[in-house]
Amino acid sequence: MLQWRMAERAPPADELADLRAFNAALLAAVPGFVCRTDADRRLVAMTRYAPGYTPANSLGRDVLDFLPPEAHASATAAFDHVQATGEPASYATAGPGDEGPSYYATHVTAVPLPDGRRGLCLCAIDVTEARRRELALRATSDQLAMARELSGLGLWSLDLGAGEVAWDRRMSEIVGAPRPRGLLEYLALVHPDDRAEVIATVERSLAARVWATLAHRIVRPDGEVRWVHTSGAFVVGPRGDVIQLVGGTLDVTDEHLRDERRHQAQTLEAIGGLAAGVAHNFNNMLAVITSVLELVRPELSARSSALVGDAQDAARRAAEMVRQLLTYAGHGMPSARQPRAVAELVTRACALARQTFGTVGALEVELGPELGYVRATPGELEQVVVNLLLNARDAVRGRPSPTVRVVAARSQGADGDDVVELRVIDNGPGVSDEAQARLFEPFFTTKDVGVGTGLGLAFGYAVARDHGGALALTSTSAAGSTFTLTLPLTPDGPAVAAPLERPPARIRGRVVMLVDDEDPIRGVTRLVLEAHGARVYEARSAQEAHDRLAAGLRVDVVLLDRSMPDGPGERAVPRLRAAAPGAAVVLFTGQGVDGEVRAQVDGVVAKPFGSDELVAAIEAATRGGDQA
Ligand code: ADP
């Protein structure tokens, strides 16, 4: 190392030569440009020249001439500072380069001049590589931050030694709470039912050093339950032991609910198909049972007649169950919907249910203002509300301060439409997770045999769906449950009430062609029709009926079963009409009939039918005939 101080002595010639050589080497080693200026900032020396610059065209010029205009302000400020204080300063410049922009960091020091003024020494170092790396790194970390933000991932770490948890803002948003001080505080946020599994999974993962998928629920301090998915990794210390867990947590509640709804819809669809098949066969059997019971009853003694009355009641209840099942399966009998005042509908349902509340608990009703009208099938929605109320009543039975509240309010649906939300809120024990998964399945009940049919919620779900609305369990906990029935409102006003009384129907003398492939059904239907004075011809298929009509048989009405081996009854309608132009066609079916089919025929009778409905339908279809 050279140790030479100007003030002490003039350097000998060989030391000077040595010093010059060192200076030259030092300047050559500097990866940039080094130059000196006079006090007026004019270039007096330069170690190397950029292409196109020579000492002849450079020396004596203002140093700013060599800098891009946008760097002038920062360079001038640095020069001013150095010349005023004698202290070093620096500035950064960027300029166009052969392969993209190039960057320089320029360090400026003062050069004391003999006249006491200060010249400048500028050392401009090419920092392009480092700067590009820095920019690329910043771009990558910006992208990562953006991706993280978009993914919604909350980041956390757990120091196993100190037991401390660190996490970011997003984690606090996910769990709805500030950063916990330790693992125990975090575990307190985990749903109690999931806690043991979370602990076991983390322990297993630690033992195997492989992170096992961790999906669990969080109960936010405000009581809201969220589903989260946590991935993690282990940080191993110098001694080979795991010292830290780091990871990310994603709120997957929306996906979870969507999957659950999809799964529920698929289950319900599958069960619906099964139910429709069973219900169809049941209807045919019930049609025989109810008709036979109705026919024989007048001929029986008082005692036997009472027994048959019980059997008729049971058959009616069975028919009602089948009707609910068919509604659930989406094959219900569509009936004309009329605008119904929501307030009236709810009041009626509450009045019906209240009779059964007795001393079980209180029923409180809060109706919001201007609830409006829904288009509803008479009776169906009342039944759904009554079912909800009865379930709530059963849930609060024996609980402290048993109370069921009904709250109806106008609201906005997801697509901005006007809806009414009817909430039935109870302070019962809530619905367990297992029950929640199966709540809307037909025949799912936790009630005693003979008490629950398990059809109430399944029917309510289907009726709500068929009315363009929804029925859902919207909250449940150990403090009670809320079921919410949402229905679209209609701008239409109240329907004009249909006259209730109708004169008894008469079909005496009418000629009926009865088409059904099932012998028992044909048998009892014939008996019913003949008991009312009609003349009946029978056919086992639409083809047989057609052939007889085409051969000249004259009838007033063709009573046509809808499901027969040779195809749906309605398909035969045009040919039957062609064969018997004057005859009416009435379809009888155990399943729903859409508007298109309904338009092709003169009437539809639902199986199992009472004789009144059958006779009324035939009379209506053949009205105008004067055989009576
Ligand atoms: P049912 O009432 O005949 O059992 P539902 O379909 O109406 O049939 O109800 C199915 C099951 O749902 C009930 O057995 C009960 O376990 C559960 N449930 C319905 N409503 C409630 C409620 N408000 N609180 C708790 N559990 C309920």
Side-chain angles (χ1 to χ4, degrees):
M1 160 105 34
L2 271 178
Q3 293 196 341
W4 172 73
R5 277 192 283 148
M6 219 176 178
E8 286 170 5
R9 60 185 173 86
D14 55 344
E15 274 190 31
L16 260 181
D18 204 11
L19 185 63
R20 239 181 245 122
F22 174 72
N23 278 347
L26 182 68
L27 291 174
V30 173
F33 298 88
V34 181
C35 67
R36 198 158 63 79
T37 74
D38 61 16
D40 298 322
R41 303 175 186 174
R42 279 190 301 264
L43 210 57
V44 293
M46 185 90 173
T47 53
R48 64 176 71 136
Y49 291 89
Y53 290 98
T54 61
N57 66 14
S58 304
L59 297 182
R61 284 171 59 188
D62 190 322
V63 71
L64 289 182
D65 290 352
F66 300 89
L67 297 179
E70 58 278 11
H72 284 189
S74 58
T76 303
F79 299 159
D80 289 348
H81 176 80
V82 172
Q83 286 185 313
T85 65
E87 290 169 0
S90 57
Y91 62 90
T93 49
D98 294 339
E99 300 158 13
S102 51
Y103 301 92
Y104 284 89
T106 303
H107 303 278
V108 189
T109 49
V111 180
L113 298 175
D115 59 4
R117 297 203 293 163
R118 289 182 177 120
L120 297 169
C121 177
L122 277 62
C123 177
I125 297 175
D126 187 344
V127 291
T128 304
E129 268 313 304
R131 180 83 179 127
R132 281 189 190 156
R133 270 200 300 273
E134 184 190 320
L135 288 175
L137 201 64
R138 193 182 296 167
T140 310
S141 78
D142 284 353
Q143 280 168 3
L144 272 176
M146 195 192 291
R148 205 190 83 196
E149 193 68 27
L150 290 176
S151 75
L153 199 66
L155 299 181
W156 53 264
S157 68
L158 167 66
D159 186 329
L160 290 178
E164 275 173 14
V165 175
W167 73 27
D168 66 357
R169 174 185 52 81
R170 178 67 193 137
M171 271 306 287
S172 291
E173 286 170 5
I174 292 173
V175 303
R179 180 175 64 84
R181 277 187 295 273
L183 185 58
L184 285 181
E185 219 173 279
Y186 176 74
L187 282 173
L189 293 164
V190 174
H191 193 290
D193 292 351
D194 298 349
R195 218 169 276 152
E197 180 58 27
V198 167
I199 294 170
T201 308
V202 172
E203 280 174 352
R204 259 202 323 276
S205 301
L206 272 172
R209 296 218 181 162
V210 179
W211 189 271
T213 310
L214 194 55
H216 66 89
R217 288 164 294 177
I218 290 283
V219 185
R220 291 178 167 182
D222 63 6
E224 188 182 347
V225 175
R226 309 290 298 177
W227 284 86
V228 296
H229 203 290
T230 294
S231 323
F234 304 101
V235 179
V236 177
R239 269 174 301 193
D241 49 345
V242 176
I243 54 169
Q244 209 184 24
L245 301 183
V246 292
T249 294
L250 209 52
D251 184 331
V252 293
T253 310
D254 291 346
E255 292 78 0
H256 178 82
L257 292 178
R258 209 176 311 132
D259 285 353
E260 213 170 50
R261 275 196 292 272
R262 194 180 309 130
H263 176 71
Q264 197 170 48
Q266 282 167 350
T267 312
L268 297 187
E269 202 177 314
I271 298 172
L274 187 76
V278 172
H280 170 71
N281 289 318
F282 257 70
N283 263 344
N284 279 340
M285 296 180 226
L286 283 169
V288 177
I289 295 170
T290 49
S291 303
V292 169
L293 293 178
E294 202 175 314
L295 283 170
V296 299
R297 197 170 175 188
E299 298 163 16
L300 299 174
S301 67
R303 186 163 171 279
S304 302
S305 170
L307 288 174
V308 167
D310 291 346
Q312 279 180 312
D313 277 350
R316 262 193 291 275
R317 282 204 302 280
E320 175 57 21
M321 270 179 83
V322 171
R323 186 181 73 80
Q324 293 188 357
L325 265 182
L326 280 173
T327 302
Y328 172 77
H331 297 287
M333 278 287 165
S335 38
R337 302 231 165 104
Q338 296 160 356
R340 298 278 318 278
V342 175
E344 187 195 306
L345 191 148
V346 178
T347 309
R348 253 176 67 83
C350 290
L352 280 170
R354 187 170 267 126
Q355 296 164 9
T356 73
F357 267 63
T359 55
V360 173
L363 174 59
E364 297 169 1
V365 185
E366 292 167 37
L367 299 183
E370 294 174 28
L371 290 176
Y373 292 83
V374 288
R375 290 195 75 80
T377 306
E380 267 188 354
L381 287 177
E382 274 102 333
Q383 194 181 337
V384 173
V385 179
V386 168
N387 287 348
L388 293 177
L389 291 174
L390 297 186
N391 278 342
R393 176 206 61 187
D394 292 347
V396 301
R397 197 189 296 274
R399 303 271 298 176
S401 321
T403 310
V404 174
R405 284 200 306 133
V406 179
V407 182
R410 223 182 152 102
S411 181
Q412 296 255 289
D415 43 10
D417 291 351
D418 286 336
V419 297
V420 62
E421 269 184 4
L422 181 81
R423 284 181 291 139
V424 176
I425 306 158
D426 65 60
N427 60 359
V431 183
S432 69
D433 287 352
E434 297 75 47
Q436 276 184 51
R438 305 191 50 201
L439 218 47
F440 296 100
E441 285 179 17
F443 302 116
F444 172 76
T445 180
T446 57
K447 296 177 188 170
D448 289 341
V449 179
V451 178
T453 60
L455 281 177
L457 289 177
F459 177 71
Y461 176 91
V463 169
R465 175 200 63 202
D466 293 350
H467 281 76
L471 173 64
L473 172 68
T474 45
S475 96
T476 187
S477 70
S481 308
T482 302
F483 281 84
T484 304
L485 173 66
T486 311
L487 294 167
L489 288 172
T490 170
D492 302 341
V496 181
L500 286 175
E501 291 289 327
R502 254 202 328 214
R506 288 155 59 95
I507 55 167
R508 181 161 299 281
R510 298 279 204 275
V511 184
V512 182
M513 166 66 82
L514 171 58
V515 193
D516 195 312
D517 58 311
E518 294 201 33
D519 296 345
I521 300 261
R522 271 201 329 280
V524 291
T525 310
R526 177 183 195 126
L527 285 174
V528 171
L529 293 173
E530 287 179 348
H532 284 81
R535 272 194 18 239
V536 179
Y537 294 101
E538 291 182 30
R540 283 189 180 75
S541 65
Q543 183 61 46
E544 187 187 334
H546 171 266
D547 293 348
R548 295 190 66 185
L549 294 170
L553 180 67
R554 298 190 62 82
V555 301
D556 300 308
V557 60
V558 180
L559 184 57
L560 184 64
D561 180 30
R562 193 174 180 209
S563 32
M564 285 185 296
D566 59 346
E570 67 269 18
R571 205 192 287 161
V573 173
R575 289 177 63 236
L576 291 171
R577 285 204 192 281
V585 179
V586 172
L587 211 55
F588 69 139
T589 170
Q591 301 200 357
V593 174
D594 62 30
E596 206 178 309
V597 172
R598 205 168 265 273
Q600 293 177 44
V601 293
D602 305 294
V604 175
V605 182
K607 274 192 211 169
F609 45 79
S611 57
D612 290 350
E613 289 144 77
L614 180 64
V615 170
I618 291 185
E619 190 208 31
T622 55
R623 199 168 288 147
D626 52 3
Q627 291 90 335

